[in-house]
Amino acid sequence: MRFLHTADWHIGKKLHGYDLLEEQADAFQQILKIAKEEKVDAIVVAGDLYDRSVPSVEAIEVFNRMIVEMNLQEKFPVLAISGNHDSSTRLETGGPWFIQSDFHLNTRLDQAFEPVEMKNTQFFLLPYFEPISARLYFDNEEIRTIEQAMKEVITEMEKQFKPDMAHVLVSHFFVAGSEKSDSETKLMVGGLDTVPLSLLESFDYVALGHLHGKNALQAENARYSGSPLKFSLSEMSQKKGVWIVDTVVDKTTFEFKEITPLRDLIQLEGSFKELTTQEFYESIDRESYLHIQLTDRAVIPNMMNQLRQIYPRVIGVERLFGREVKEKNRAAKKEIKALAPTELVNQFFSEVTGEQLTQQQQTWIKDNLAALHQAERGK
Amino acid sequence: MRFLHTADWHIGKKLHGYDLLEEQADAFQQILKIAKEEKVDAIVVAGDLYDRSVPSVEAIEVFNRMIVEMNLQEKFPVLAISGNHDSSTRLETGGPWFIQSDFHLNTRLDQAFEPVEMKNTQFFLLPYFEPISARLYFDNEEIRTIEQAMKEVITEMEKQFKPDMAHVLVSHFFVAGSEKSDSETKLMVGGLDTVPLSLLESFDYVALGHLHGKNALQAENARYSGSPLKFSLSEMSQKKGVWIVDTVVDKTTFEFKEITPLRDLIQLEGSFKELTTQEFYESIDRESYLHIQLTDRAVIPNMMNQLRQIYPRVIGVERLFGREVKEKNRAAKKEIKALAPTELVNQFFSEVTGEQLTQQQQTWIKDNLAALHQAERGK
């Protein structure tokens, strides 16, 4: 069978304060158009449908229209899971009715073990989950990490494999060896959330969500679809789109189909004078989301307002030649931001005490961070 | 046809900090039992399914189980509307799929004009709405109050009346002449929300939600079902339950069926010594929600903790013989709370200036309060 693989819609996400609902609705229409042109048998959405566990009323309106159009009007079967940004319970409402029109929206771990069979393919729809859910489901106190959980999960799925069918896993995790960009929330607490690629070998295709770049993982049988829009500067040069997957037993192929953002995310570099010259600004798409790198050294009064009169969607202005100290601070801050929580604690401890954490202390910290992380998720 | 009329479930409501989800699930089971025993053809829920526009995850879990059991498992057709406590958009998710199994959940005004026909009856499911919605729907700038809106709404509905069928309106409003209790949020801004009973004459039955007492309105063709549980002290002596309605054209009848709360709401009066005597407390159901009126005058150290050791669900303690001044203050506060916002402004103005508001000033206040109220609702 042939299906479209997308993920990480993050409906309701804002880009530096700018509402993206119009762009998101437009990207959705492009996805639908590709689905029709490619005559796919189903649309797979691998988690993070919403950007927040409690989405705004406006985001819900847009999302509701999308699912009605996709499933009830255009009659596409939909195979979807909740991601780490979604509230599984809030998303669950309506699920038992959705199935009547082949809209499968899995939000609980136990649902992952009843594959959806369509044509020649078994789909295992595994929503994002925390190790505690696997601990309870398998009644196994040993399960502490996602890797441990996934071993059990996949063994359980393999029991259901029909040998004459293709097997597709739809999942929302960080697979070891993938490349991150800046717009994904850190799932990771000291690496507890990583799934090794080797665990996924038995599937013909793994339709992943979570990372926002389509090239985040280069595996023979697995892809991230990436988000339909650019959600951060680090995604500036990424091509966005969806995968069209053809499942043939032991010979599955996939091809990327690009979508064009309603408004792009671009970076401009130049002096204030250059950037505000008519000849220059008429040469570029001023409606884009813009990150501006200014080469000036002097103070420019009322700079932001002047820039915004020409460029309505400035998401940030950077001074390339600011004071050196400032630069350094910024670099240090960035570095701290990029550290995993356990490393942060380690670093703080050694700075303050001049000593290293013992193995036992590190375990305590990991356990407590994991507990905190779970409590946070439970909200 | 025969249907069950309930309303004001307020799933997720707390009683003085106590979670009522267990009581609400129990009341729901009793409602379902009555529906089965009475062999009803449908269950009508006249608004305020949830207590808050953004319900907690726990409340959503309980609600999801209820609707699955009622509609998908027990196969009851369900005719429901959103109330002033519900977020219409949040509740709307899933609606287009619910219809496939005869679960009609109307959340928008325009849906009210497509009656659901079952057996001999046309059901008009009118969700709670603000005058602004009617203004837009009817493209009529004159509509400023619910009464004005309801005139148009009902004229529009009457156009759809089939003469050989019975006509039922399901609605969530304050009908003039009804009696309030303390647990309903004030909809009213200077009486803008009141619907005169005379407007509802053409219906064989009006299934109302909003007021929590089943006797709040005594009309030939209209009833509030009341809430399934007691939500405030003022409802202490109310019988809770549902109406079983038999629609026969021009000869509709209805009968009240009681439900028994899992834990009652009662009031005790006595001295601290009496109330903590074993003989006394073994004579009553200590698991009830209790409002206690103490007759003591002396200070009782650690009183609340001592009472809660015997009575786990004390919702309040009142000193019957406190200082007179205190009493007076309390009475005054209660009085202020009971005033409508426009009256409050009037009173404040005349206290401060010694004069009365002019007609023009009163209109300004009404308009501004209505605008504020709408802005509030839009959140």
Side-chain angles (χ1 to χ4, degrees):
Chain A
M1 77 169 274
R2 160 171 278 202
F3 65 89
L4 183 152
H5 165 204
T6 174
D8 295 280
W9 289 2
H10 289 269
I11 305 298
K13 188 175 180 72
K14 287 177 192 280
L15 184 63
H16 295 259
Y18 292 97
D19 194 326
L20 293 176
L21 285 172
E22 202 184 336
E23 286 84 352
Q24 293 181 316
D26 175 81
F28 171 75
Q29 288 305 327
Q30 294 188 55
I31 292 173
L32 216 51
K33 191 161 169 262
I34 296 172
K36 283 187 260 183
E37 284 169 359
E38 298 292 326
K39 298 189 174 62
V40 301
D41 303 307
I43 294 174
V44 166
V45 196
D48 282 357
L49 307 175
Y50 283 117
D51 189 53
R52 299 193 338 217
S53 58
V54 183
S56 70
V57 162
E58 292 74 21
I60 293 176
E61 276 171 357
V62 168
F63 179 75
N64 282 353
R65 275 199 298 274
M66 287 177 177
I67 57 174
V68 166
E69 185 169 359
M70 178 165 62
N71 181 244
L72 290 183
Q73 291 167 3
E74 299 293 345
K75 311 275 184 205
F76 282 110
V78 178
L79 306 164
I81 57 171
S82 48
N84 58 310
H85 277 250
D86 302 304
S87 157
S88 53
T89 304
R90 289 183 197 278
L91 212 54
E92 195 174 357
T93 304
W97 284 265
F98 294 157
I99 291 174
Q100 301 174 75
S101 55
D102 254 332
F103 176 6
H104 301 265
L105 174 52
N106 281 11
T107 57
R108 299 188 320 268
L109 178 57
D110 62 280
Q111 296 172 313
F113 306 111
E114 289 174 24
V116 177
E117 298 189 1
M118 291 186 67
K119 296 199 165 180
N120 69 335
T121 304
Q122 286 185 303
F123 288 91
F124 293 83
L125 309 179
L126 175 66
Y128 174 79
F129 65 92
E130 302 278 337
I132 175 81
S133 305
R135 208 143 71 228
L136 294 171
Y137 181 82
F138 293 108
D139 193 17
N140 177 351
E141 272 300 314
E142 306 285 298
I143 298 175
R144 294 279 148 185
T145 67
I146 281 297
E147 179 175 348
Q148 291 167 332
M150 280 300 275
K151 273 184 196 152
E152 302 273 347
V153 164
I154 285 169
T155 305
E156 193 68 23
M157 285 176 176
E158 284 170 348
K159 288 181 195 161
Q160 321 261 348
F161 274 21
K162 293 189 179 168
D164 52 339
M165 294 184 90
H167 310 107
V168 171
L169 174 65
V170 180
S171 175
H172 191 94
F173 279 111
F174 181 60
V175 175
S178 314
E179 261 177 44
K180 290 193 166 198
S181 43
D182 283 349
S183 67
E184 304 110 10
T185 306
K186 279 218 165 149
L187 283 179
M188 186 172 33
V189 178
L192 290 185
D193 71 330
T194 309
V195 177
L197 186 58
S198 58
L199 269 181
L200 309 175
E201 269 174 359
S202 56
F203 291 95
D204 293 278
Y205 185 77
V206 183
L208 286 162
H210 185 47
L211 300 185
H212 293 174
K214 76 172 171 75
N215 296 325
L217 179 73
Q218 302 286 348
E220 217 172 292
N221 68 333
R223 279 294 182 278
Y224 286 97
S225 72
S227 52
L229 293 175
K230 298 172 185 175
F231 291 138
S232 75
L233 265 187
S234 66
E235 300 170 40
M236 205 166 51
S237 56
Q238 290 179 2
K239 299 273 180 219
K240 296 298 189 180
V242 300
W243 293 101
I244 301 295
V245 184
D246 285 289
T247 52
V248 182
V249 183
D250 293 333
K251 225 184 94 184
T252 289
T253 56
F254 40 89
E255 193 189 347
F256 193 73
K257 294 281 166 188
E258 226 174 287
I259 63 183
T260 315
L262 179 65
R263 296 186 187 93
D264 206 354
L265 173 59
I266 59 178
Q267 188 161 273
L268 297 181
E269 183 182 327
S271 69
F272 184 79
K273 205 180 157 193
E274 284 162 358
L275 295 178
T276 52
T277 307
Q278 190 170 358
E279 198 188 329
F280 177 81
Y281 66 67
E282 285 188 345
S283 71
I284 62 149
D285 182 359
R286 289 194 283 150
E287 295 297 318
S288 305
Y289 293 97
L290 287 179
H291 185 253
I292 293 178
Q293 294 183 310
L294 279 186
T295 53
D296 308 73
R297 284 169 196 272
V299 171
I300 304 162
N302 204 19
M303 174 192 70
M304 205 57 169
N305 278 340
Q306 292 190 68
L307 285 174
R308 284 215 166 117
Q309 273 173 22
I310 298 173
Y311 307 105
R313 293 182 186 80
V314 177
I315 62 167
V317 175
E318 197 181 341
R319 292 291 202 132
L320 285 182
F321 308 112
R323 290 191 201 147
E324 265 188 72
V325 185
K326 231 173 153 186
E327 278 298 317
K328 238 178 161 175
N329 279 343
R330 196 183 303 145
K333 258 192 202 160
K334 263 196 186 161
E335 212 172 277
I336 284 177
K337 253 185 151 176
L339 286 178
T342 42
E343 288 165 36
L344 263 177
V345 177
N346 277 345
Q347 190 172 310
F348 177 73
F349 185 85
S350 62
E351 266 176 26
V352 172
T353 65
E355 291 175 30
Q356 296 297 314
L357 287 166
T358 65
Q359 203 58 41
Q360 177 60 63
Q361 285 169 327
Q362 288 191 22
T363 310
W364 286 335
I365 288 161
K366 270 194 188 177
D367 286 356
N368 276 297
L369 282 170
L372 263 174
H373 184 57
Q374 265 165 22
E376 184 82 355
R377 286 279 314 161
K379 273 182 195 166
Chain B
M1 77 169 274
R2 161 171 279 203
F3 66 88
L4 181 152
H5 166 203
T6 174
D8 295 278
W9 288 2
H10 289 268
I11 304 300
K13 189 176 180 71
K14 287 178 192 279
L15 184 63
H16 295 259
Y18 291 97
D19 193 327
L20 293 177
L21 285 172
E22 202 185 336
E23 286 83 353
Q24 293 180 316
D26 175 82
F28 170 76
Q29 288 305 327
Q30 293 188 55
I31 291 173
L32 216 51
K33 191 161 169 263
I34 295 172
K36 283 188 260 183
E37 283 169 1
E38 298 292 327
K39 299 188 175 61
V40 301
D41 303 306
I43 294 174
V44 166
V45 195
D48 282 358
L49 307 175
Y50 282 118
D51 189 54
R52 299 194 337 218
S53 58
V54 184
S56 70
V57 162
E58 292 74 20
I60 293 177
E61 277 171 357
V62 167
F63 179 76
N64 282 353
R65 276 200 298 272
M66 287 177 177
I67 57 175
V68 166
E69 184 168 0
M70 179 166 61
N71 181 245
L72 290 183
Q73 291 166 3
E74 299 295 344
K75 311 276 184 205
F76 282 111
V78 178
L79 306 164
I81 56 171
S82 48
N84 58 309
H85 277 250
D86 300 305
S87 157
S88 53
T89 305
R90 288 182 199 279
L91 213 53
E92 196 174 355
T93 305
W97 284 265
F98 294 158
I99 290 173
Q100 301 174 76
S101 56
D102 254 333
F103 175 7
H104 302 266
L105 174 53
N106 281 11
T107 56
R108 299 188 321 267
L109 177 57
D110 62 279
Q111 297 172 313
F113 306 111
E114 289 174 24
V116 178
E117 298 189 1
M118 291 185 67
K119 295 198 166 181
N120 68 337
T121 305
Q122 286 186 302
F123 287 91
F124 293 84
L125 309 180
L126 175 66
Y128 173 80
F129 65 93
E130 302 278 338
I132 174 81
S133 305
R135 208 141 72 227
L136 294 171
Y137 182 82
F138 293 108
D139 193 16
N140 178 350
E141 272 300 315
E142 307 284 299
I143 298 175
R144 294 280 149 184
T145 66
I146 280 299
E147 179 174 348
Q148 292 167 331
M150 280 300 276
K151 273 183 196 153
E152 301 274 348
V153 164
I154 285 168
T155 305
E156 194 67 22
M157 285 176 176
E158 283 170 349
K159 288 181 195 160
Q160 322 261 349
F161 274 22
K162 294 190 178 167
D164 52 338
M165 294 184 91
H167 311 107
V168 171
L169 174 66
V170 180
S171 176
H172 191 94
F173 279 113
F174 180 58
V175 175
S178 313
E179 261 177 45
K180 290 192 165 198
S181 45
D182 284 348
S183 67
E184 303 111 11
T185 306
K186 280 218 165 151
L187 281 182
M188 187 171 32
V189 178
L192 290 185
D193 71 330
T194 309
V195 177
L197 188 57
S198 58
L199 269 182
L200 309 175
E201 269 173 358
S202 55
F203 291 95
D204 293 277
Y205 185 77
V206 184
L208 287 161
H210 186 47
L211 299 185
H212 293 173
K214 75 173 172 76
N215 297 325
L217 179 73
Q218 302 286 347
E220 217 171 291
N221 69 333
R223 279 292 183 279
Y224 286 98
S225 72
S227 52
L229 293 175
K230 298 173 186 174
F231 290 139
S232 75
L233 264 187
S234 65
E235 300 170 39
M236 204 166 52
S237 57
Q238 290 179 1
K239 299 274 181 218
K240 296 298 189 179
V242 300
W243 293 101
I244 300 296
V245 184
D246 286 289
T247 53
V248 182
V249 183
D250 294 332
K251 225 185 94 184
T252 289
T253 56
F254 40 89
E255 193 189 347
F256 194 73
K257 294 282 166 186
E258 225 173 290
I259 62 183
T260 315
L262 180 64
R263 298 186 185 92
D264 207 353
L265 173 59
I266 58 177
Q267 187 161 274
L268 297 181
E269 182 183 329
S271 68
F272 184 79
K273 206 181 156 192
E274 284 162 357
L275 295 178
T276 52
T277 307
Q278 189 170 359
E279 198 188 328
F280 177 81
Y281 67 66
E282 285 188 345
S283 72
I284 62 149
D285 182 358
R286 290 193 281 150
E287 295 298 318
S288 305
Y289 293 98
L290 288 179
H291 184 254
I292 294 178
Q293 294 183 310
L294 278 187
T295 53
D296 307 73
R297 286 170 192 272
V299 171
I300 304 162
N302 204 17
M303 174 194 69
M304 205 55 168
N305 277 341
Q306 291 189 69
L307 285 173
R308 285 215 165 116
Q309 273 173 22
I310 298 174
Y311 307 106
R313 292 182 187 79
V314 177
I315 62 167
V317 176
E318 197 181 340
R319 291 290 203 134
L320 285 184
F321 307 112
R323 290 193 199 145
E324 266 186 70
V325 185
K326 231 172 152 188
E327 279 298 318
K328 239 179 161 175
N329 279 343
R330 196 182 304 145
K333 258 192 203 159
K334 261 194 187 161
E335 214 172 277
I336 285 178
K337 253 185 151 176
L339 287 178
T342 43
E343 288 164 35
L344 263 177
V345 178
N346 278 345
Q347 190 172 308
F348 176 73
F349 185 83
S350 63
E351 265 176 28
V352 172
T353 65
E355 292 174 30
Q356 295 297 315
L357 286 166
T358 65
Q359 203 58 40
Q360 177 59 63
Q361 286 170 326
Q362 287 189 24
T363 310
W364 287 334
I365 288 161
K366 268 193 189 176
D367 287 355
N368 277 297
L369 282 171
L372 264 175
H373 183 56
Q374 263 165 23
E376 185 84 355
R377 285 280 312 162
K379 273 182 195 168

